Amino acid sequence: MENKKLLSVKHLSRFYGSLSAVNNISFHLNKGEVLGFLGPNGAGKSTTMQVITGNLAPSAGQINIYGFDLLDSAKQAKANIGYLPEQPPLYRELTVDEYLSFCAQINRIENTKQKIALEKAKERCGLTEVGKRLINNLSKGYQQRVGIAQAIIHNPAIVVLDEPTVGLDPIQIKEIRNLIRELAEDHGVILSTHILPEVQMTCDRVQIINHGQLVYSDDINHLHQRMRSNSLILGLNHAPSEAELKSLNFIDEVEVLSNSRFRLSHAIENSPSENIAQIAADKNWGLFEIRPEQKTLEQVFVELTSGDVIADEADTEEYNGASAA
Ligand code: ADP
Ligand code: MG
């Protein structure tokens, strides 16, 4: 198989009393990809992240991490996964170096290799300059980098990040997203988020969870295609009649928005933009705007979450275990 699965989850469920927070979900993570785990608040993202990282027991299901069963071979399985929880476990009274040394120890990195591991994690997360600073005195963006550094310090094959950009400002968000993309060069990454554009900007594949169930799983490009709509906005300073617009090639409907602006509907596979721009120039319509409309991710999300639950991949695909390299 070309794509080695770093992680395979089958029929995972988790109950809190009678509440089914995660209900029979199956998914996998391939090498070199960022998988977006998208869903509204309360959907079951954090519960899933806690279970697949061995921090919460599943009620049912199997989790295989890098060839190791999480329940049967917990130690080896956990050595291959790094986790940034929703509330990062930072010790604020420590310096970055002190904290990351501590993390190296609890991840059982050999004494002689701890310093190298620490330097490498700091370098990857852009923390080299702040090793001596108290975590408490760092900005929220830098604290989040420290959280990511502790997740990768033992160089795990898989990195799980639960809502890593929440509470950051736009510049910090951009930096953390870049860092996540870089991580994917050497690790498989699972990123949970309730923010749709985050998935669009950072992930290769997206999986949508709602009420504890997976409702969608696909390549990010397919999600982009789903966002294509079948209309465009046209702005003309010297507009012709509505009838003339409607008689243009490929146009199904014309909606008049104002004296100079129109919404034109067309078949999704035939964009009339080029044709219209040409005619508008020839006929001096005073073209000032021509813009394909896109569905918002919110609209797509509503369409997807009101649909049927996707087929369970575990029924059709067999786990092809990735052996420890
Ligand atoms: P998300 O991370 O997508 O917001 P969670 O996994 O945190 O969702 O929560 C899923 C559901 O499980 C929610 O209904 C939440 O209220 C419930 N839940 C989460 N943690 C607990 C807990 N420790 N005890 C009881 N219910 C919980
Ligand atoms: Mg959560």
Side-chain angles (χ1 to χ4, degrees):
M1 280 272 170
E2 269 243 318
N3 280 336
K4 277 195 168 178
K5 285 182 189 171
L6 296 179
L7 170 82
S8 162
V9 173
K10 287 186 179 176
H11 303 297
L12 175 67
S13 294
R14 168 70 204 202
F15 293 90
Y16 293 112
S18 60
L19 173 80
S20 152
V22 174
N23 186 357
N24 192 21
I25 68 171
S26 299
F27 64 95
H28 67 272
L29 177 70
N30 296 317
K31 210 169 176 171
E33 76 178 351
V34 180
L35 172 64
F37 211 74
L38 176 67
N41 288 328
K45 301 181 297 297
S46 294
T47 301
T48 306
M49 304 297 114
Q50 283 172 270
V51 172
I52 64 174
T53 54
N55 289 282
L56 183 69
S59 304
Q62 290 103 45
I63 299 142
N64 191 299
I65 296 171
Y66 212 56
F68 299 103
D69 185 273
L70 180 56
L71 298 182
D72 297 343
S73 315
K75 205 170 145 188
Q76 292 94 324
K78 284 191 192 182
N80 287 296
I81 200 158
Y83 174 42
L84 174 65
E86 204 166 14
Q87 309 290 341
L90 300 177
Y91 293 96
R92 293 164 184 281
E93 67 283 8
L94 298 184
T95 66
V96 172
D97 284 344
E98 286 166 349
Y99 171 66
L100 291 177
S101 300
F102 168 71
C103 295
Q105 284 164 33
I106 57 174
N107 279 290
R108 297 199 180 87
I109 299 173
E110 283 173 44
N111 284 341
T112 52
K113 295 188 177 154
Q114 284 179 10
K115 184 140 183 32
I116 296 170
L118 177 105
E119 290 306 324
K120 189 157 178 237
K122 279 201 299 183
E123 191 193 315
R124 298 209 65 185
C125 297
L127 292 167
T128 308
E129 309 293 311
V130 299
K132 302 281 178 287
R133 302 261 308 266
L134 285 181
I135 291 176
N136 198 40
N137 297 341
L138 297 177
S139 69
K140 184 108 202 313
Y142 270 82
Q143 289 180 357
Q144 199 65 325
R145 289 174 190 230
V146 177
I148 294 175
Q150 68 74 34
I152 63 168
I153 193 146
H154 53 305
N155 198 25
I158 303 155
V159 183
V160 175
L161 307 171
D162 194 357
E163 307 243 16
T165 62
V166 164
L168 303 185
D169 70 35
I171 293 168
Q172 294 167 339
I173 288 175
K174 202 159 167 248
E175 289 170 356
I176 294 292
R177 284 180 184 156
N178 288 341
L179 174 57
I180 293 168
R181 288 286 349 154
E182 281 170 32
L183 288 181
E185 290 167 16
D186 298 322
H187 310 261
V189 179
I190 298 182
L191 165 78
S192 95
T193 180
H194 67 283
I195 304 161
L196 296 151
E198 179 128 293
V199 163
Q200 243 187 330
M201 278 180 263
T202 320
C203 302
D204 304 300
R205 200 150 60 81
V206 58
Q207 196 155 277
I208 299 179
I209 184 169
N210 196 32
H211 299 304
Q213 289 182 288
L214 285 184
V215 292
Y216 181 80
S217 170
D218 210 341
D219 204 83
I220 197 72
N221 294 325
H222 290 144
L223 186 65
H224 289 160
Q225 278 172 21
R226 284 191 89 113
M227 290 173 63
R228 272 171 45 192
S229 113
N230 59 344
S231 58
L232 58 83
I233 300 295
L234 183 64
L236 302 171
N237 281 323
H238 317 293
S241 70
E242 194 182 331
E244 188 168 353
L245 287 175
K246 199 169 172 195
S247 70
L248 293 173
N249 276 345
F250 308 132
I251 300 303
D252 298 332
E253 294 289 337
V254 175
E255 185 185 340
V256 181
L257 302 175
S258 72
N259 286 341
S260 58
R261 292 178 80 244
F262 308 85
R263 172 177 287 118
L264 308 187
S265 312
H266 55 85
I268 212 152
E269 61 280 6
N270 286 329
S271 170
S273 301
E274 198 179 330
N275 185 39
I276 290 175
Q278 186 66 52
I279 293 170
D282 292 347
K283 300 199 171 179
N284 290 319
W285 285 346
L287 175 68
F288 65 87
E289 180 180 8
I290 183 163
R291 174 171 58 83
E293 288 197 295
Q294 265 211 331
K295 285 185 209 163
T296 64
L297 273 161
E298 279 75 11
Q299 286 168 320
V300 173
F301 189 84
V302 169
E303 279 175 27
L304 292 171
T305 52
S306 57
D308 289 333
V309 172
I310 57 158
D312 190 335
E313 77 163 28
D315 294 336
T316 53
E317 269 184 85
E318 276 310 305
Y319 173 68
N320 59 316
S323 53

